[in-house]
């Protein structure tokens, strides 16, 4: 329904690249010809020649890492070679940040392109060892957190929890604890252990509130925790508590500064009133959410809202309106290429056709939903 809002402890400030660095990156990504696998060394030689035009080794490292982002996964060997070249330069000048970012770049390629997870974790663990060697506690905590997040992406939630506890062991403090507890809550939520998730969300919330600051980032995190808590209370059949948490988000400055929070909270309220079978209230709230989603061009949430409205009208046996919202959701999901949303769109449409006793159409869309769900899991 909404993205997890708990932030990372990385807290790295983005820096603007000088124009020459940017220009070289564009030239390398767009203009160096794509070569076959047996000519990767020629490509790397071309890259080395062009980055020599930059004024410092640190710029060369950053530019090489940027270049990897512009190379297709189809050329993953080339991507790895460029990232390793960045690491080599960073090691030659003993630049810890450059080494860390290069290791992250190589790991990302192994994760996303080659699915060689053990190799990827080798590079991420190298960052942990690098930080230990430099007695950089913050850097070690960052490296451990990155590993935790990758385990979470792989649905290895217990490993993720173990690494978040490692962060807590070496990096105490109110903010670090709040973030780690929130992330551990996410892991328990992912495996449907809702009571443990609530306990960790509550612990995170208490620590953030104790800071008593007007930091907008803390406000966003508190709103994120309330969204997650609202969702869990609905899962455990406590809709009134869910509503109170969604109202807390709507009444917070987070919903004013970033209207995505308002959309997410309204969707949560709409879902809760649907659960209570107070359909007219749910429809009214979803209509309000739809207006706000369009204001902020949140197309994916617009799809989700259309699906929710279609499902409500199915439950109300108004199949004409249900079909209209389902068609709208599918059109938007297909034109915006929201593959992850199409499965539930097709499921809803299949259920509508079942209600209409159009069994062939229903089976067709339900099979499409099943196939799309498998495709999404394999992405």
């Amino acid at each position: 329904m909404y993205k997890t809002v708990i932030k990372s402890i990385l807290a790295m400030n983005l820096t603007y690249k000088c124009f020459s660095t940017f220009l070289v990156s564009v030239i390398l990504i767009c203009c160096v010809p794509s070569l076959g696998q047996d000519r990767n060394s020629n490509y790397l030689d071309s890259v080395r020649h062009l980055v020599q035009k930059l004024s410092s080794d640190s710029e060369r490292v950053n530019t090489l890492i940027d270049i990897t982002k512009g190379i297709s996964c189809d050329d993953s060997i080339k991507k790895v070679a460029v990232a390793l070249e960045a690491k080599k330069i960073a090691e030659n000048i003993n630049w810890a940040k450059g080494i860390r970012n290069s290791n992250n770049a190589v790991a990302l390629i192994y994760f996303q392109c080659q699915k060689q997870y053990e190799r990827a974790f080798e590079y991420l663990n190298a960052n942990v060892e690098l930080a230990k060697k430099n007695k950089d506690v913050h850097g070690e905590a960052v490296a451990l957190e990155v590993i935790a997040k990758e385990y979470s992406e792989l649905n290895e939630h217990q490993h993720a929890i173990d690494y978040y506890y490692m962060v807590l062991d070496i990096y105490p403090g109110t903010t670090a604890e709040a973030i780690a507890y929130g992330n551990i809550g996410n892991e328990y939520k992912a495996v449907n252990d809702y009571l443990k998730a609530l306990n960790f969300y509550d612990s995170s919330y208490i620590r953030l509130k104790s800071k008593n600051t007007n930091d907008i980032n803390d406000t966003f995190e508190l709103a994120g925790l309330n969204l997650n808590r609202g969702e869990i209370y609905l899962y455990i059949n406590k809709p009134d508590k869910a509503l109170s948490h969604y109202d807390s988000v709507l009444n917070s400055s987070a919903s004013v500064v970033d209207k995505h929070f308002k959309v997410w909270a309204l969707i949560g309220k709409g879902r809760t009133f649907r659960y209570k079978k107070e359909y007219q209230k749910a429809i009214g709230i979803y209509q309000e959410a739809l207006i706000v989603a369009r204001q902020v061009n949140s197309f994916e949430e617009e799809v989700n809202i259309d699906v929710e409205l279609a499902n409500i009208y199915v439950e109300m046996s108004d199949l004409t309106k249900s079909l209209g919202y389902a068609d709208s959701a599918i059109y938007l999901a297909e034109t915006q290429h929201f593959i992850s949303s199409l499965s539930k769109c097709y499921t809803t449409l299949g259920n509508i056709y079942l209600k209409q006793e159009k069994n062939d159409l229903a089976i067709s869309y339900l099979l499409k939903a099943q196939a799309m769900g498998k495709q999404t899991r394999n992405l």
Side-chain angles (χ1 to χ4, degrees):
M1 180 172 67
Y2 45 80
K3 295 180 181 177
T4 300
V5 187
I6 300 299
K7 73 177 181 182
S8 164
I9 60 171
L10 273 62
M12 295 179 183
N13 294 323
L14 296 175
T15 55
Y16 294 102
K17 284 189 275 180
C18 69
F19 180 74
S20 62
T21 305
F22 172 76
L23 186 59
V24 170
S25 296
V26 171
I27 291 171
L28 285 165
I29 293 171
C30 300
C31 304
V32 175
S34 179
L35 304 172
Q37 183 172 332
D38 59 336
R39 299 176 64 192
N40 279 319
S41 60
N42 293 338
Y43 176 87
L44 191 56
D45 287 341
S46 298
V47 169
R48 286 173 178 148
H49 175 73
L50 280 173
V51 296
Q52 286 305 314
K53 300 179 186 295
L54 298 172
S55 60
S56 69
D57 282 332
S58 60
E59 283 187 66
R60 294 182 187 103
V61 170
N62 290 333
T63 300
L64 287 166
I65 292 172
D66 283 344
I67 291 166
T68 66
K69 300 170 187 175
I71 302 173
S72 167
C73 271
D74 293 336
D75 285 325
S76 61
I77 294 175
K78 187 188 299 180
K79 283 170 76 78
V80 170
V82 174
L84 289 175
E85 182 69 15
K87 180 177 179 177
K88 178 181 175 182
I89 296 171
E91 288 176 337
N92 286 341
I93 61 174
N94 197 29
W95 185 32
K97 181 179 177 180
I99 297 169
R100 181 180 68 236
N101 290 344
S102 300
N103 281 334
N104 285 338
V106 176
L108 189 64
I109 297 164
Y110 281 127
F111 276 123
Q112 294 185 345
C113 301
Q114 298 188 7
K115 312 300 182 186
Q116 295 187 39
Y117 303 132
E118 288 187 15
R119 295 288 303 275
F121 281 117
E122 286 175 12
Y123 283 92
L124 295 185
N125 278 304
N127 282 341
V128 177
E129 297 306 315
L130 176 67
K132 286 181 179 178
K133 177 182 175 182
N134 293 335
K135 297 181 179 178
D136 177 7
V137 177
H138 178 265
E140 185 182 350
V142 167
L144 290 168
E145 185 188 59
V146 169
I147 294 172
K149 289 183 182 298
E150 292 300 338
Y151 273 123
S152 182
E153 287 292 316
L154 294 173
N155 294 319
E156 296 188 27
H157 299 291
Q158 187 56 55
H159 277 111
I161 290 168
D162 292 342
Y163 273 89
Y164 283 126
Y165 274 120
M166 291 182 200
V167 173
L168 286 170
D169 287 342
I170 66 167
Y171 203 73
T174 302
T175 300
E177 287 178 358
I179 293 165
Y181 287 146
N183 283 320
I184 291 171
N186 292 336
E187 302 307 320
Y188 281 118
K189 179 184 171 189
V191 296
N192 302 330
D193 193 337
Y194 298 131
L195 293 181
K196 281 187 179 178
L198 269 179
N199 285 335
F200 279 100
Y201 286 145
D202 290 345
S203 295
S204 177
Y205 190 90
I206 290 167
R207 280 159 178 76
L208 282 172
K209 289 291 284 185
S210 73
K211 292 174 67 178
N212 198 27
T213 67
N214 292 320
D215 186 340
I216 191 61
N217 290 318
D218 288 347
T219 302
F220 287 158
E221 287 159 22
L222 288 167
L225 288 166
N226 275 325
L227 289 169
N228 280 301
R229 292 196 292 180
E231 189 171 22
I232 288 177
Y233 276 120
L234 187 56
Y235 289 156
I236 62 175
N237 305 317
K238 295 184 177 180
D240 291 333
K241 281 198 170 185
L243 287 172
S244 71
H245 285 294
Y246 292 133
D247 282 333
S248 292
V249 177
L250 291 171
N251 293 328
S252 77
S253 58
S255 290
V256 177
V257 177
D258 186 342
K259 288 189 176 180
H260 289 90
F261 285 98
K262 185 173 183 178
V263 175
W264 295 328
L266 287 170
I267 291 174
K269 284 193 72 173
R271 192 167 290 164
T272 306
F273 280 119
R274 177 189 167 195
Y275 172 86
K276 297 178 73 172
K277 300 191 183 303
E278 296 182 30
Y279 294 130
Q280 292 303 326
K281 282 186 179 179
I283 289 168
I285 288 168
Y286 277 132
Q287 294 289 2
E288 183 182 354
L290 206 53
I291 292 169
V292 182
R294 287 169 179 164
Q295 288 174 350
V296 295
N297 295 321
S298 185
F299 299 118
E300 193 158 10
E301 297 304 346
E302 189 176 340
V303 171
N304 292 333
I305 295 164
D306 281 339
V307 170
E308 287 288 331
L309 284 165
N311 287 326
I312 286 174
Y313 281 114
V314 167
E315 292 173 20
M316 295 173 68
S317 298
D318 189 338
L319 299 183
T320 301
K321 285 186 178 178
S322 179
L323 192 58
Y325 280 109
D327 286 340
S328 176
I330 289 172
Y331 174 79
L332 191 55
E334 288 179 341
T335 55
Q336 296 293 326
H337 306 292
F338 295 142
I339 295 175
S340 61
S341 298
L342 278 172
S343 177
K344 58 187 172 186
C345 292
Y346 292 148
T347 298
T348 297
L349 193 55
N351 289 331
I352 294 169
Y353 285 132
L354 279 177
K355 287 275 189 178
Q356 293 179 329
E357 298 184 355
K358 297 178 179 179
N359 294 333
D360 289 343
L361 274 173
I363 291 169
S364 173
Y365 276 101
L366 291 172
L367 287 174
K368 283 178 74 172
Q370 188 178 48
M372 194 63 66
K374 289 179 180 178
Q375 182 181 341
T376 302
R377 288 191 293 274
N378 291 331
L379 286 178

